[in-house]
Amino acid sequence: MKEKLERLKKEVLEKLNAVKDIGILRDLEIKIMGRKGELTEILRQLNELSLEQKKSIGKFANDIKLELAERFKQAAEILEKEKKHAFVDLTLPGEGIRRGHLHPLTQVQNEFEDIFSSLGFMILDGPELESDYFNFEALNITKLHPARDMQDTFYVARTHADSTGTDADKTATDLVMRTHTSPVQIRAMKKYGAPLRCIVPGRCFRSEATDVRHEHTLNQIEGLMIDKDISWADMKGVLEAVVRRLYGSETKLRMRPKFYPFVEPGNNGEITCFLCKGVGCRLCKQSGWLEIVGSGMVHPKVLVAGGIDPKIYQGFAFGFGLDRLAMLKYNISDIRLLNGGDLRFLEQF
Ligand code: DAH
């Protein structure tokens, strides 16, 4: 019986080496390994042997069966692969690589950066995890100031161990996820001094109960211009030039008083609604005006915190809400869509 098996194995391996067609291979497999196959028949004869013989030959027979099964599998894989290669049609056009595109927020941000670069403003960056000092204190928002309530944030505690490292020697410093891009005003003043012209696009974070107008992650563009003899008129002039480039030359800008601790006076900038041209529509809630920017003359305390002498220099600052601008421009009704990552939404821009 052993010789029979040996012979069969040798035969099969020779045939496997020669076979070039997957159909013929499958037929051979059935002829050998199938229910009525040659190997199966031989194995069936094992039943007729004595227990003694079964023991000596059983494992040998089974190993051959496993080995042949494996060889059939390998041969089939090789032929399948070759088949695939054989049928490459070089005249077919290649598969196109799907190209993405810029996020609507990035598109609006780029437009802004172009306009401000042409006006000589630097484009700066700042940390998203910010110290309580830069985010609030240096901007004239003291610890117990009610303005903190408008910008409730995510506080992150940091502990410093001194050289002895005992708990009693640790002092806590508050870190916050920045609630606005305004802290970069201070960083820019400290780094570059005066005169200074910069904008700062970036992500901000607030502990919000989210709805269609409020998100925990929002995007702003801060601006700061400092020089000798800078007046409120310069501020209005720059902002007007910018909104006209963005929304058309007939756009009007009106400034109304609004309190922000880091400017004096502070303003709310509104433009004539670009949809109804000031007549009144759904977008502007029938008022004809759209609120788009907070601004003001930099508070002397803020200049001092930035290391600049308020007796020599003045300046103005402003903050646009990038999400709001993108929502207005593309008629987006829910701010949460902007960070949602839903392709059905994003592919529309
Ligand atoms: N930081 C303000 C906010 O997040 C926006 C702002 C208002 C920025 C007035 C300014 C400014 O620079 O002058 O609501």
Side-chain angles (χ1 to χ4, degrees), residues 42-288:
I42 300 175
L43 294 179
R44 202 167 283 140
Q45 288 165 22
L46 281 178
N47 285 335
E48 289 150 25
L49 300 178
S50 70
L51 199 63
E52 208 50 27
Q53 285 169 312
K54 261 191 212 164
K55 260 190 196 155
S56 85
I57 211 164
K59 184 170 158 27
F60 180 81
N62 202 45
D63 284 349
I64 286 194
K65 183 180 163 187
L66 291 178
E67 189 186 340
L68 286 183
E70 182 59 29
R71 292 295 189 102
F72 270 108
K73 200 172 133 219
Q74 284 170 2
E77 275 169 14
I78 290 168
L79 288 180
E80 288 289 359
K81 233 188 232 161
E82 283 174 0
K83 191 167 140 196
K84 255 193 218 140
H85 287 302
F87 285 98
V88 171
D89 181 350
L90 294 176
T91 66
L92 283 175
E95 273 178 39
I97 296 170
R98 258 185 88 204
R99 280 181 82 171
H101 65 285
L102 296 176
H103 190 283
L105 284 175
T106 314
Q107 294 180 34
V108 178
Q109 182 179 327
N110 287 350
E111 219 174 322
F112 251 82
E113 291 183 2
D114 282 350
I115 297 172
F116 279 103
S117 311
S118 75
L119 294 173
F121 282 66
M122 293 190 283
I123 299 165
L124 300 181
D125 228 352
E128 291 175 353
L129 185 59
E130 185 55 283
S131 70
D132 181 284
Y133 174 76
F134 279 119
N135 195 79
F136 293 123
E137 212 94 2
L139 290 165
N140 198 27
I141 311 172
T142 46
K143 279 260 183 299
L144 295 174
H145 198 288
R148 287 212 178 193
D149 293 347
M150 296 187 326
Q151 301 193 358
D152 198 9
T153 184
F154 301 108
Y155 283 88
V156 181
R158 176 175 60 174
T159 47
H160 284 304
D162 79 356
S163 53
T164 59
T166 61
D167 278 347
D169 295 321
K170 282 180 185 166
T171 53
T173 316
D174 276 339
L175 287 177
V176 301
M177 297 305 288
R178 68 174 177 196
T179 55
H180 49 180
T181 41
S182 305
V184 191
Q185 285 186 28
I186 310 290
R187 291 181 175 275
M189 285 189 270
K190 280 179 165 259
K191 184 161 178 190
Y192 299 104
L196 179 64
R197 264 185 269 182
C198 64
I199 60 162
V200 187
R203 280 204 300 176
C204 310
F205 309 87
R206 291 186 193 179
S207 172
E208 296 276 8
T210 61
D211 61 32
V212 292
R213 305 260 308 260
H214 299 91
E215 230 327 5
H216 50 69
T217 302
L218 49 141
N219 297 269
Q220 293 189 339
I221 296 189
E222 191 77 16
L224 179 66
M225 177 163 182
I226 293 174
D227 210 330
K228 291 175 182 162
D229 301 324
I230 293 283
S231 73
W232 197 91
D234 295 307
M235 173 173 76
K236 181 148 195 232
V238 168
L239 292 177
E240 215 159 43
V242 170
V243 296
R244 288 193 175 151
R245 289 266 296 268
L246 280 172
Y247 298 106
S249 55
E250 71 289 358
T251 310
K252 288 197 186 71
L253 175 70
R254 76 173 179 188
M255 314 286 273
R256 305 207 287 180
K258 180 161 181 189
F259 174 72
Y260 295 104
F262 32 91
V263 282
E264 179 58 37
N267 312 277
N268 206 354
E270 299 180 342
I271 55 166
T272 37
C273 177
F274 50 80
L275 198 65
C276 62
K277 308 285 176 224
V279 179
C281 70
R282 243 189 38 191
L283 185 65
C284 58
K285 301 212 186 76
Q286 309 306 330
S287 71

Side-chain angles (χ1 to χ4, degrees), residues 331-348:
N331 204 1
I332 297 166
S333 55
D334 188 335
I335 188 174
R336 293 168 295 192
L337 289 165
L338 290 169
N339 281 328
D342 187 336
L343 284 180
R344 290 169 303 179
F345 166 74
L346 292 172
E347 279 169 353
Q348 297 175 46

